[in-house]
Amino acid sequence: MRVTMIGTGYVGLVSGACFADFGHIVTCVDKDESKIARLLKGEIPIFEPGLDELVKDNVEQGRLFFTTDPAKAISEADAVFIAVGTPSRRGDGHADLSYVYAAAEEIAGLMNGYTVVVTKSTVPVGTGDEVEAIIKKTRPDADFDVVSNPEFLREGAAINDFKRPDRVVVGTDSERARDLMRELYRPLFLNETPIIFTARRTSELIKYAGNGFLAMKITFINEIADLCEQVGANVQEVAKGIGLDNRIGRKFLNAGPGYGGSCFPKDTLALMKTARDSGAPIELIETTVRVNSARKQKMAQKIVDALGGNVKGKTVAVLGLTFKPNTDDMRDAPALDIVPTLQAEGAHVRAFDPEGMTEAKHMLKDVAFASGPYDCLQDADAVVIVTEWDQFRALDLDRVKASLKSPVVVDLRNIYSPAEMAAKGFTYVSVGRP
Ligand code: UGA
């Protein structure tokens, strides 16, 4: 089957490479010439474990191609995926659909024969209808269907999530398009992955409802963590205690500094906007957004408190800047709130992140960037773990203690044991644990 991906961002690149690995012939199209030039040289513009080998293998096998020229790729395709960005529109939080609509127009002008146009970008309810209208208007004679097929992969675990998803969601009323989508996902179908066929609008909403629910689940456990701190309970044990109830589930119950990234913050805002505009506001999501953004400030205060209420002139070492490990993505990372707040209180910040520093240098001011974790915490007044990279999980604690000016560790990801840290003589502060 011939597949064309419009957009080589996270979702486009990973999905394109994985579809090629399923055996389809995939062409990834992007307007960004430098990005395509890098991809043609075998360079991957994002950090995602395993993606470089997957791309290399499939290029070598003649199944994966990159181009800036959409003409041939679209005219020959059985399925064209729209996988362009849908950033928050400035001001009102609504998803900016201009890239999606531009892609629809481009596809309409170039498609040839029956083509399934699939929106993989996260798009608000009704976008598929608009894409269909644009194509019909541009090419009244076109033979096509528009399908919604949201993507649920996580950064840092993207390939595994794509190839072993909990489910695939396909939104269309067209039997012909369903057959094509079934064929496209055949390897997963054979693996008994549930494939949910539904209406297009329902499929579009499934994506937002899923992300909204997960954001709410994290925010719930974060608030329970705050309560644990007040009443002397342990949030990790509470999470385990409730998570073993299958109706709740254990995943996404890790308390921390608040969710960030390119999806939850943007998608909760867009869901809020759609719900308000439709006259059915979702108060739980509105509260989630408010509580999560206040939390990032709260975390900075936690660090100040751990240092005796005053950080003026003190050096705070920050380990981890990205919104989660195994990515170089800094979008809406809690560090972007925590670091400036500490600086505003008079602290000097020194930071280290295994993959995020190139990006962080553009986003954070007056931070001294270190070459490794120990270099980062040398002579600092406190060390704060903001992102749980594996390499921070097993630091040599004696060396940490000897390097710090004062033995204060603020662990916003609960990766160390309070008892062990106390035994080593640290002043140790974590999230929701006594
Ligand atoms: C998220 C969803 O998990 C994916 O299913 C979805 O496809 C994706 O958004 C998207 O819409 O494209 P992602 O943003 O890559 O994926 O990362 P997550 O692993 O979900 O983490 C998001 C944030 O929540 C991170 O800041 C993370 O640290 C935080 N988090 C996650 C917690 O604080 N606690 C948890 O238990 C889990």
Side-chain angles (χ1 to χ4, degrees):
M1 208 167 254
R2 289 193 171 264
V3 176
T4 293
M5 269 299 150
I6 309 287
T8 57
Y10 237 104
V11 168
L13 192 53
V14 173
S15 317
C18 289
F19 277 133
D21 214 45
F22 287 173
H24 303 302
I25 306 294
V26 179
T27 305
C28 296
V29 185
D30 204 298
K31 287 200 171 357
D32 184 336
E33 288 183 8
S34 66
K35 208 171 183 188
I36 292 295
R38 286 182 67 186
L39 285 162
L40 286 170
K41 279 193 277 178
E43 288 173 26
I44 306 296
I46 48 173
F47 176 80
E48 178 61 40
L51 188 57
D52 45 358
E53 287 116 79
L54 192 74
V55 168
K56 187 168 172 278
D57 280 0
N58 283 283
V59 168
E60 279 172 10
Q61 306 276 334
R63 290 192 297 259
L64 182 59
F65 302 88
F66 298 101
T67 181
T68 51
D69 176 14
K72 187 164 175 279
I74 292 175
S75 67
E76 290 181 352
D78 299 300
V80 182
F81 280 77
I82 301 178
V84 297
T86 52
S88 280
R89 201 162 64 189
R90 228 172 258 279
D92 66 0
H94 210 305
D96 177 350
L97 295 170
S98 51
Y99 302 109
V100 173
Y101 295 154
E105 266 180 44
E106 183 161 57
I107 295 165
L110 296 167
M111 65 205 250
N112 184 18
Y114 178 67
T115 310
V116 173
V117 178
V118 191
T119 28
K120 215 176 219 333
S121 304
T122 298
V123 292
V125 177
T127 304
D129 300 355
E130 187 59 30
V131 167
E132 188 174 290
I134 290 171
I135 298 176
K136 270 195 185 137
K137 194 167 155 227
T138 319
R139 275 279 291 281
D141 63 317
D143 185 13
F144 72 103
D145 281 305
V146 175
V147 172
S148 158
N149 173 221
E151 185 46 59
F152 301 103
L153 59 81
R154 288 164 302 164
E155 293 187 13
I159 295 168
N160 190 58
D161 282 356
F162 191 93
K163 290 191 165 179
R164 286 169 207 78
D166 291 339
R167 81 306 203 183
V168 171
V169 176
V170 174
T172 174
D173 291 332
S174 153
E175 204 41 60
R176 197 173 174 195
R178 285 184 181 184
D179 285 346
L180 185 136
M181 295 301 287
R182 215 177 264 124
E183 188 56 28
L184 209 52
Y185 280 106
R186 216 159 81 93
L188 299 186
F189 210 52
L190 295 176
N191 262 349
E192 299 191 354
T193 302
I195 302 196
I196 297 171
F197 289 105
T198 180
R200 199 163 58 202
R201 283 180 168 246
T202 305
S203 165
E204 288 167 340
L205 189 54
I206 286 172
K207 173 67 192 181
Y208 281 100
N211 273 1
F213 188 86
L214 291 171
M216 197 173 71
K217 191 171 179 186
I218 295 166
T219 306
F220 173 79
I221 202 69
N222 283 340
E223 291 206 291
I224 293 290
D226 291 348
L227 177 59
C228 285
E229 287 177 15
Q230 297 309 315
V231 300
N234 182 324
V235 73
Q236 280 177 316
E237 288 167 21
V238 173
K240 194 171 172 187
I242 62 171
L244 284 169
D245 181 331
N246 283 334
R247 292 170 303 175
I248 297 173
R250 290 186 66 171
K251 292 180 183 164
F252 276 64
L253 283 178
N254 295 316
Y259 62 77
S262 62
C263 304
F264 289 167
K266 159 177 87 72
D267 294 348
T268 43
L269 282 181
L271 176 57
M272 216 169 98
K273 176 79 178 127
T274 303
R276 278 191 194 175
D277 289 353
S278 312
I282 307 176
E283 297 203 11
L284 288 172
I285 295 298
E286 306 226 354
T287 304
T288 297
V289 168
R290 186 170 42 77
V291 171
N292 190 65
S293 84
R295 181 161 194 86
K296 295 174 180 175
Q297 300 294 322
K298 227 172 165 174
M299 291 299 112
Q301 191 55 47
K302 194 179 183 79
I303 298 161
V304 174
D305 292 347
L307 275 159
N310 183 6
V311 289
K312 215 174 167 78
K314 292 184 179 164
T315 299
V316 178
V318 171
L319 293 183
L321 295 168
T322 50
F323 80 98
K324 63 185 251 182
N326 294 325
T327 178
D328 55 359
D329 201 334
M330 285 294 302
R331 283 176 284 180
D332 272 301
L336 296 175
D337 287 274
I338 295 171
V339 169
T341 308
L342 290 174
Q343 290 171 324
E345 297 270 332
H348 303 295
V349 174
R350 201 189 297 136
F352 171 72
D353 188 282
E355 296 293 336
M357 291 196 293
T358 310
E359 199 49 38
K361 281 175 188 163
H362 304 297
M363 302 172 101
L364 291 168
K365 285 203 186 80
D366 301 323
V367 170
F369 289 95
S371 58
Y374 296 104
D375 174 36
C376 182
L377 50 85
Q378 188 64 45
D379 295 324
D381 294 276
V383 56
V384 184
I385 299 166
V386 179
T387 316
E388 70 279 31
W389 284 90
D390 276 348
Q391 61 171 280
F392 304 149
R393 287 179 184 271
L395 293 170
D396 174 345
L397 294 176
D398 295 322
R399 189 170 166 196
V400 170
K401 191 154 178 240
S403 305
L404 287 169
K405 202 192 282 177
S406 56
V408 178
V409 175
V410 182
D411 176 3
L412 299 181
R413 298 289 184 168
N414 290 347
I415 59 178
Y416 284 95
S417 133
E420 191 189 345
M421 295 305 274
K424 289 268 180 204
F426 285 102
T427 300
Y428 178 73
V429 177
S430 59
V431 179
R433 299 186 301 174

